[in-house]
Amino acid sequence: MAAPMLRWCCPGRRFAFARVGCGSCHRRGPPTGSTSNGKRGQSTVAQQPHITAQKPRKGEREWAAVVGLEIHAQIASNSKLFSGSQVHFAAPPNSLVSFFDASLPGTLPVLNRRCVEAAVMTGLALDCHINRKSLFDRKHYFYADLPAGYQITQQRLPIAVNGSLAYSVSVGRKPSQMVTRTVRVKQIQLEQDSGKSLHDDLRSQTLIDLNRAGIGLLEVVLEPDMSCGEEAATAVRELQLILQALGTSQANMAEGQLRVDANISVHRPGEPLGVRTEVKNLNSARFLARAIDYEIQRQINELENGGEILNETRSFDYKLGCTVPMRDKEGKQDYRFMPEPNLPPLLLYDSGSLPPGADPQQVIDIDRLRERLPELPRVTRERLVRQYGMLPEHSCALLNEVGLLEFFQSVIKETRAEPKKVTSWVLNTFLGFLKQQNLAVSESPVTPSALAELLDLLDRKAISSSAAKQVFEELWRNEGKTPAQIVAEKKLELLQDLEALEQLCRSTLEAHPHVVMDLKRGNPRAINKLIGLVRKATLGRADPTAIKEVLERQLSS
Amino acid sequence: MVKDGCAHVKPAAATDLSVFLLVTWSLWWQTGHEDHVGPDPPRIIFSAGKALHRGALGWKAEWLLSIIRLLRLSPTLDGLEVSVALKQGQVTPTELCQRCLSLIKKTKFLNAYITVSEEVALKQAEEAEKRYKKGHSLGDLDGIPIAVKDNFSTSGIETTCASNMLKGYVPPYNATVVQKLLDQGALLMGKTNLDEFAMGSGSTDGIFGPVKNPWSYSKQYREKRKQNSHSENEDSNWLITGGSSGGSAAAVSAFTCFAALGSDTGGSTRNPAAHCGVVGLKPSYGLVSRHGLIPLVNSMDVPGILTRCVDDAATVLGILAGHDPKDSTTIQDPVKPFTLPSLTDVSKLCIGIPKEYLTPELSSEVHSLWSKAANLFESEGAKVIEVSLPHTSYSIVCYHVLCTSEVASNMARFDGLEYGHRCDSSVSTEAMYAATRREGFNDVVRGRILSGNFFLLKENYENYFVKAQKVRRLIANDFVNVFNSGVDVLLTPTTLSEAVPYTEFIKEDNRTRSAQDDIFTQAVNMAGLPAVSVPMALSTQGLPIGLQFIGRAFCDQQLLTVAKWFEKQVQFPVIQLQELMDDCSSVFENEKLASVSLK
């Protein structure tokens, strides 16, 4: 079984993957950001884990790192948080801008119900306490892509607080050596996204696109319970899966639907936490892990060399693999928070507190949303393990690719093949082909039914597994043929005619007396050579077990 | 527009005023002034009232008479109802419109209008006329000329807020209240003058210059002046209108329209109404949509209504009131247009007189009229009791903190990027912001932004903003307690005194003036209550004095019913603007008025 994508919670192609062998202990050394090279491969083989933290040498004092995250997830909604403009990725610049989004004087915010529901569902999925009353605030700063001069957010009383997010990381050499870690969710707040600035240095001008301005964001604040880039990246990955399962965010980092800011500090165990820095705008999980690990090492080096850590905002230069101070974030910003006077408090209800006769369009019932929650990734994985006897890391791999689980389940439904077989085919062959061509599951030329049919042929031993691979390759070419047609055309079906097989075996034995002699002299491996020769003679259409049986019978007679 | 299902919902019931007050409300309004002395006033224009005899007038005067008799939208004792006249074809919308346009031109020196939308109005009149001919009028406002304060967005019509920042800004949409009036067939005559961004209490601090009070030129005032003073040049002593909706008040007072929209954040509708002898209504917060009103203080702003009688204010309120999906702070309950009953018996009424409103600064004349009004109610059988609003004295300072904070926030959007003024500097984005805002805002606006930002600083927020909110809560509770004790309506002065001459007014700066002038009005905004200023009588100087009625939240109709009864009792005289249109030449000497665009 090919190991690569079967690693427990291995984030697959997305992640440079670090093993967190020594937890939060870091030793002195050069920053590893640039050396922990998680090159994204085209092959189906995931990267080998790199080591960010090595065992401290004896006598050397350890450092502990503390990492907290602020994650901004764009809410999957048709319209923006406070206006009716559409939400759509990659639309022509400034084509999705309402009067409110452009902050025309006199316009007022109107809260989007869908965004509130998304926040509540996400809060429930992360075991948060949902505040029955939450408030909106204005956060002020001047920036060209912030038309109103303030962002509407939930600073004082957010919609959800005090939750937790569990994620699993591998700790040992074996992928199945997993531990579950938990990071506390401080709060989830609703807020507006800003527009985008495009700096044209050549003509020294800045172009503003307000399409994104006003889209609903969920800001999920994770407490500093993580200790390295890998943990942070894995936690983010788990959150991503949860958001996608809920449908509350597409959480596609490449499209900016999920953006992460990391707060990082280091300290000596037993001593107070160190001064933290914030690394902003990490928009891929790989960079997230690298940036955090780099920053940890940078801080350690700085302190070991007698320097001090400034409470500053930094950005990650992915080309250089290091973090650098952000020039425009120098100095302390005072956001001059103020209650948003145009939005009354957001009141939520549950079945107990629902006012009688309330218009269902006007109120949000938390209990009804709870009932509608889909199965969460953690539960799905447990179910897969239970239901199909799957290894935990396989269940993880199935969830890691968008649509893969659904594909798997469709195949299972239509085939008589063993779930183990299906798992192996889906995770190795099918996923391998996808990765090789960089395709999403939805773009696959092979349908679940075709794969199911193929696995059926294999299951009733109509074809050998090597023939099955051949059929799969044919299917991938997508020439509209069914597996049965391909098998017939290519004459791939297993030799079912026992007499013919016996004939072939006999002639093979006759043609290779020296191998037979070898075998009789006691070399057990000689039988394999004979099997191989017979298979070759059948053009690979005979089952090796059957060949072995016949040969042994003939030899002993 | 794509919406998520029925998605855009109002998160909570705004009617739950107590909940809302707890968390969101804030501010104060007003301040600063321009050292800007207006030109000599022309001699005026038309005459009105019972003094006229129909038989003695020529054609022109005949017309005038018809206008004057149609002063009011609704039936009154001695006036015809203009909407009835329209329905009966005694006058056509186009005639009415042209008449008002001609009056606007003749009163141009008042500087009441920033933009006159002549073409739009005439076109609307034409449409209205067609409807009347077919007998399908849209309602009481069909074909009725109205004016709108220049801080309400009007689609396709420049909306300046009397600021360089928005000079030339043409909104692409109508404020909800404007749209509602247009949907009723009202004719939009133009946009009226104000203090820059409605920050002021005199209508003296806008870039288009001060508004002049029509009463400066009334027969009533001039005759008194002749008796009292002999030395001063009477033309240089024109009076301010009060503000910040002074343009709207002057427009209604000078008969250039039948109703006007103002805005009221600390008294901006009631104050000029009192000074100009018209009715000024500030509806309950949340009853009328603010969508499209360029905000001063979101938690206190309310579109105001200025008319010549209480019934007209009620008619307009009936049209404007109600939930607006675009303003989440409007009440959900449907509001139907209503007609005010004529009270005959006030014996079941309880009128409260807040003792804290008897301040040393109150002029003796206003004081005595206030007492007279209280006696009037008492003599007609109403229960009149002294009540206490103990936190009144903290109101102004609390308002100052909350108002400037919200102003600082609301003004942040004026950065020269999306709309409005942009400076020429292109050194950097920051330099552009700074220069744009320095050029775009006057001292008053900049001063408020500065103090507001100070109050919102992290280190100051608790000590100022949060404290002010708590005080606001106390002030609102004062009213709740009084109303819970059985009081139906509070009776107070609207202003300390009658209108003062401009030269007098500008001796104090905007901030001081506003703090003084808002004293009786702004607590109402902090509490979100409805209040109306009704003209009561002329002072010894011949100038109008108004009194204010304050009602329970969302009991606007009850408030107006009481106001209507009072109005009927006091029989406030009609303004007599004489020395008709024969000599209008001086009108056009005024350079300042050249900025009033008559298209």
Side-chain angles (χ1 to χ4, degrees), chain B residues 256-495:
Chain B
T256 63
C257 61
F258 286 80
L261 292 182
S263 61
D264 194 314
T265 310
S268 276
T269 292
R270 290 159 286 158
N271 175 291
H275 285 329
C276 294
V278 298
V279 173
L281 170 65
K282 174 225 171 280
S284 296
Y285 185 88
L287 187 62
V288 179
S289 169
R290 293 179 293 113
H291 173 252
L293 166 62
I294 298 176
L296 176 57
V297 185
N298 300 285
S299 67
M300 299 190 207
D301 290 342
V302 179
I305 299 165
L306 295 119
T307 55
R308 286 189 285 266
C309 68
V310 175
D311 273 323
D312 291 357
T315 303
V316 176
L317 180 65
I319 285 158
L320 300 185
H323 179 63
D324 179 5
K326 291 173 183 156
D327 178 357
S328 304
T329 62
T330 50
I331 46 150
Q332 294 281 358
D333 315 324
V335 180
K336 282 185 195 150
F338 52 86
T339 314
L340 292 179
S342 291
L343 266 190
T344 47
D345 176 17
V346 293
S347 65
K348 291 197 179 68
L349 269 185
C350 180
I351 306 288
I353 310 289
K355 63 177 181 189
E356 289 79 7
Y357 281 47
L358 182 54
T359 64
E361 296 83 13
L362 185 64
S363 77
S364 58
E365 242 183 321
V366 175
H367 183 194
S368 84
L369 279 175
W370 184 20
S371 307
K372 216 172 139 190
N375 291 337
L376 172 65
F377 275 100
E378 201 159 32
S379 66
E380 294 294 322
K383 190 174 159 197
V384 179
I385 56 169
E386 186 184 87
V387 296
S388 174
L389 299 167
H391 297 95
T392 300
S393 59
Y394 306 107
S395 188
I396 283 284
V397 61
C398 163
Y399 179 71
H400 176 73
V401 173
L402 297 175
C403 170
T404 53
S405 301
E406 252 188 80
V407 163
S409 175
N410 287 332
M411 295 295 150
R413 70 187 56 215
F414 298 104
D415 56 12
L417 282 176
E418 282 83 14
Y419 43 80
H421 176 71
R422 187 192 293 186
C423 72
D424 294 329
S425 161
S426 57
V427 180
S428 71
T429 311
E430 287 72 22
M432 191 275 283
Y433 288 157
T436 296
R437 290 164 69 81
R438 188 176 58 246
E439 292 165 14
F441 294 137
N442 69 6
D443 291 351
V444 178
V445 178
R446 289 212 304 279
R448 288 200 197 185
I449 291 172
L450 200 62
S451 36
N453 278 324
F454 174 81
F455 297 136
L456 289 177
L457 285 178
K458 204 173 177 189
E459 72 218 58
N460 295 335
Y461 185 76
E462 287 288 324
N463 285 337
Y464 292 93
F465 191 88
V466 172
K467 272 206 181 123
Q469 273 188 311
K470 287 177 183 166
V471 176
R472 179 179 189 169
R473 180 77 178 158
L474 293 173
I475 289 165
N477 282 345
D478 280 355
F479 285 105
V480 171
N481 293 338
V482 163
F483 287 122
N484 282 346
S485 75
V487 168
D488 295 304
V489 170
L490 293 170
L491 173 63
T492 79
T494 309
T495 55

Side-chain angles (χ1 to χ4, degrees), chain B residues 539-593:
Chain B
S539 68
T540 49
Q541 282 204 79
L543 291 175
I545 289 175
L547 291 184
Q548 172 179 239
F549 294 92
I550 303 169
R552 291 191 178 100
F554 299 104
C555 294
D556 301 54
Q557 205 170 329
Q558 182 197 27
L559 172 74
L560 289 173
T561 306
V562 174
K564 181 179 171 180
W565 179 87
F566 179 74
E567 175 188 52
K568 190 177 162 192
Q569 306 302 310
V570 298
Q571 287 292 309
F572 180 75
V574 173
I575 184 172
Q576 292 178 34
L577 293 170
Q578 282 176 324
E579 297 152 45
L580 293 192
M581 41 279 267
D582 311 333
D583 181 33
C584 294
S585 53
S586 57
V587 167
F588 302 102
E589 285 165 16
N590 184 351
E591 295 160 21
K592 294 287 170 192
L593 293 171

Side-chain angles (χ1 to χ4, degrees), chain A residues 77-79 83-84 86 103 105-107 109-113 138 140 143-144 148 150 334 336-337 339 341-342 345 361, chain B residues 2 4 6-9 12 172-173 290 292-293 298 325 328 332 406 409-410 412-413 419 433 453 456-458 461 465:
Chain A
S77 57
N78 293 328
S79 53
S83 80
Q86 264 191 69
S103 80
T107 53
V110 180
L111 185 58
N112 183 340
R113 180 194 182 93
R138 291 179 178 181
H140 299 88
Y143 206 77
Y150 56 82
D334 190 326
R336 291 159 288 130
F337 284 100
N342 295 318
Q361 284 305 326
Chain B
V2 178
D4 286 301
C6 231
H8 289 248
V9 291
Y173 74 102
R290 293 179 293 113
L293 166 62
N298 300 285
S328 304
Q332 294 281 358
E406 252 188 80
S409 175
N410 287 332
R413 70 187 56 215
Y419 43 80
Y433 288 157
N453 278 324
L456 289 177
L457 285 178
K458 204 173 177 189
Y461 185 76
F465 191 88

